[in-house]
Amino acid sequence: MKFSMIFEAQMADPTAAHEARVLHDSVAQAVLADQVGFDTVWAVEHHGLKWYAHMSAPEIFLTWVAAKTERIRIGHGVVCMPFNFNHPVRAAERAAMLDVLSGGRLNLGAGRGSTAVETSMCGVDPDRTHQEVEESLRMIAAAWQHPESEFSYHGELLDIEPHHLLPRPVQRPHPPLFMACTRRDTLKLAADYGIGALVLGFGGIEEIAELRRIYDIAIAERTGERFVSTVVNDHFAALCPTIVLDDRERARQIGARGQRFFAQAIKHYYGAGPVPDAAVDPDADEIANMRAAAEEHVAYLHEAKIPVKSGSTAIFNTDHAYGTADDAIAYVERLRAAGADEILCLIQMGTVPQDACMETIRQWGEKVIPHFQ
């Protein structure tokens, strides 16, 4: 069982001054995670999502973290691989440089960056994103598996004559490969490609167990013809929203409030909902607010004549690792039983104060992680 943290650099107050504070606070959280025993720090890549994520240059953030830490792995969770976001040659060069300078600590994940805000900003064709992600993965893996040779690639979308792709990563034949799996069809793709799956977990334990089942079935049924590398990575990492404090009710309130903002941000950019609540009443019953928000979301989907599926309200579920360290341990036990190989702790949410983030990291390092070692 691996324990990690994932960063969005999300904020309810997206002013330039607060933005700088949140980015520096995120680095401080990552440094503490290294000190207390977390295995990996992951960073997303998003562009122009003011209320959702300010992590637009994760390669810079992760390099800064790598320079300030000693042992924790450095994870791109993920690089947006469509060519207009990141040409695969540039993605490979930057990733290999980070692997070298971090002493071989890199994990590389791939994703589509599929919001309309992001694709329109960078001129990405939404209809080509799956194909471009696959071709990027194949090209990068092929180049890294033959580090002493000139590299060439002739695919359906890219045609690259022989060149030296430099530097070469320290990890041989290459850093572990992953893919963001926000839908069931992408889970099957990850299994077919032979790479690890990074999945959301807002729906709770039953959703994680079902996603693991889909991944395992796809692994059992694959032929190997679509593998992107000679190295297969069947690693399943599941998101775990968490706030852990000695005061259970305060942790639940802070966690539910943070997740409410997170859910509203997702709804805003992925479902055409309103701008998230920037100011949340600290004395409000956040669990009740989350239920009301879920009902409002269902009403919106019905009004828009969009079929309501089980995942439509999953982001409003608050049955997560919010509470004391014992509550978090019990929740992780359930995640482990559901098939999670790695726990992706989501702590840094838009309304969660820095002191609660740091205390949560300490509690996981001192009490939760040691329970599973």
Side-chain angles (χ1 to χ4, degrees), residues 9-254:
Q10 186 180 91
M11 59 202 75
D13 173 18
T15 61
H18 188 64
E19 176 184 70
R21 181 71 267 156
V22 168
L23 290 169
H24 283 288
D25 285 349
S26 296
V27 172
Q29 292 173 40
V31 170
L32 180 59
D34 177 57
Q35 295 168 351
V36 302
F38 279 82
D39 295 290
T40 306
V41 168
W42 295 87
V44 305
E45 179 185 340
H46 284 297
H47 302 279
L49 307 186
K50 181 179 180 180
W51 301 103
Y52 185 57
H54 289 235
M55 191 65 70
S56 58
E59 66 278 9
I60 306 298
F61 173 80
L62 292 170
T63 300
W64 196 253
V65 168
K68 290 177 173 288
T69 57
E70 296 181 358
R71 43 155 295 279
I72 201 164
R73 291 189 65 81
I74 308 298
H76 271 293
V78 298
V79 176
C80 294
M81 290 289 189
F83 304 158
N84 275 23
F85 285 128
N86 295 285
H87 189 281
V89 167
R90 293 293 290 124
E93 290 172 338
R94 291 197 306 263
M97 181 70 77
L98 181 50
D99 194 53
V100 171
L101 295 180
S102 68
R105 289 190 274 156
L106 181 73
N107 292 345
L108 180 64
R112 296 192 301 131
S114 56
T115 67
V117 171
E118 294 168 287
T119 54
S120 63
M121 175 184 283
C122 296
V124 172
D125 182 351
D127 294 332
R128 284 174 42 123
T129 55
H130 279 299
Q131 192 177 8
E132 291 183 4
V133 169
E134 179 173 352
E135 192 139 316
S136 291
L137 282 167
R138 292 189 183 284
M139 199 211 81
I140 292 170
W144 281 348
Q145 288 180 98
H146 304 284
E148 305 306 324
S149 314
E150 283 192 321
F151 162 76
S152 63
Y153 185 84
H154 305 289
E156 293 183 12
L157 304 179
L158 289 174
D159 193 59
I160 300 174
E161 295 303 320
H163 288 82
H164 291 289
L165 188 57
L166 306 171
R168 282 66 60 91
V170 170
Q171 297 178 84
R172 293 286 185 261
H174 55 70
L177 300 176
F178 294 82
M179 191 162 77
C181 298
T182 57
R183 300 187 310 186
R184 298 184 179 201
D185 59 342
T186 50
L187 259 178
K188 187 177 187 309
L189 280 176
D192 287 346
Y193 295 162
I195 61 178
L198 304 172
V199 306
L200 297 178
F202 285 115
I205 301 298
E206 291 183 4
E207 179 186 46
I208 295 298
E210 174 64 10
L211 294 175
R212 180 73 212 211
R213 185 187 71 82
I214 293 167
Y215 189 53
D216 286 342
I217 289 173
I219 288 171
E221 293 178 347
R222 69 191 176 193
T223 63
E225 294 177 357
R226 299 191 71 183
F227 284 169
V228 298
S229 171
T230 58
V231 177
V232 174
N233 175 30
D234 292 334
H235 188 81
F236 183 87
L239 192 74
C240 176
T242 181
I243 298 294
V244 173
L245 307 171
D246 290 334
D247 185 335
R248 172 182 285 116
E249 290 311 309
R250 180 168 178 264
R252 283 170 55 81
Q253 183 185 63
I254 290 173

Side-chain angles (χ1 to χ4, degrees), residues 240-255 318-333 345 356 359-369 371-372:
C240 176
T242 181
I243 298 294
V244 173
L245 307 171
D246 290 334
D247 185 335
R248 172 182 285 116
E249 290 311 309
R250 180 168 178 264
R252 283 170 55 81
Q253 183 185 63
I254 290 173
T318 55
D319 179 19
H320 299 301
Y322 300 140
T324 65
D326 287 341
D327 294 326
I329 288 169
Y331 191 79
V332 173
E333 292 278 16
C345 291
E359 180 61 21
T360 296
I361 295 165
R362 278 191 286 269
Q363 294 253 6
W364 273 77
E366 293 173 4
K367 301 176 182 179
V368 182
I369 294 173
H371 180 83
F372 296 92

Side-chain angles (χ1 to χ4, degrees), residues 281-360:
D281 180 0
D283 298 321
D285 180 353
E286 291 305 327
I287 302 298
N289 284 345
M290 289 290 281
R291 293 194 186 101
E295 292 171 2
E296 177 189 354
H297 186 51
V298 170
Y300 166 81
L301 293 172
H302 280 309
E303 184 178 347
K305 295 186 167 81
I306 299 172
V308 179
K309 301 177 183 178
S310 58
S312 300
T313 56
I315 53 177
F316 297 98
N317 171 54
T318 55
D319 179 19
H320 299 301
Y322 300 140
T324 65
D326 287 341
D327 294 326
I329 288 169
Y331 191 79
V332 173
E333 292 278 16
R334 295 167 64 198
L335 280 175
R336 181 168 64 175
D341 299 315
E342 180 174 346
I343 309 301
L344 296 172
C345 291
L346 177 63
I347 301 168
Q348 195 282 314
M349 294 178 280
T351 61
V352 178
Q354 177 70 350
D355 64 336
C357 290
M358 297 294 273
E359 180 61 21
T360 296

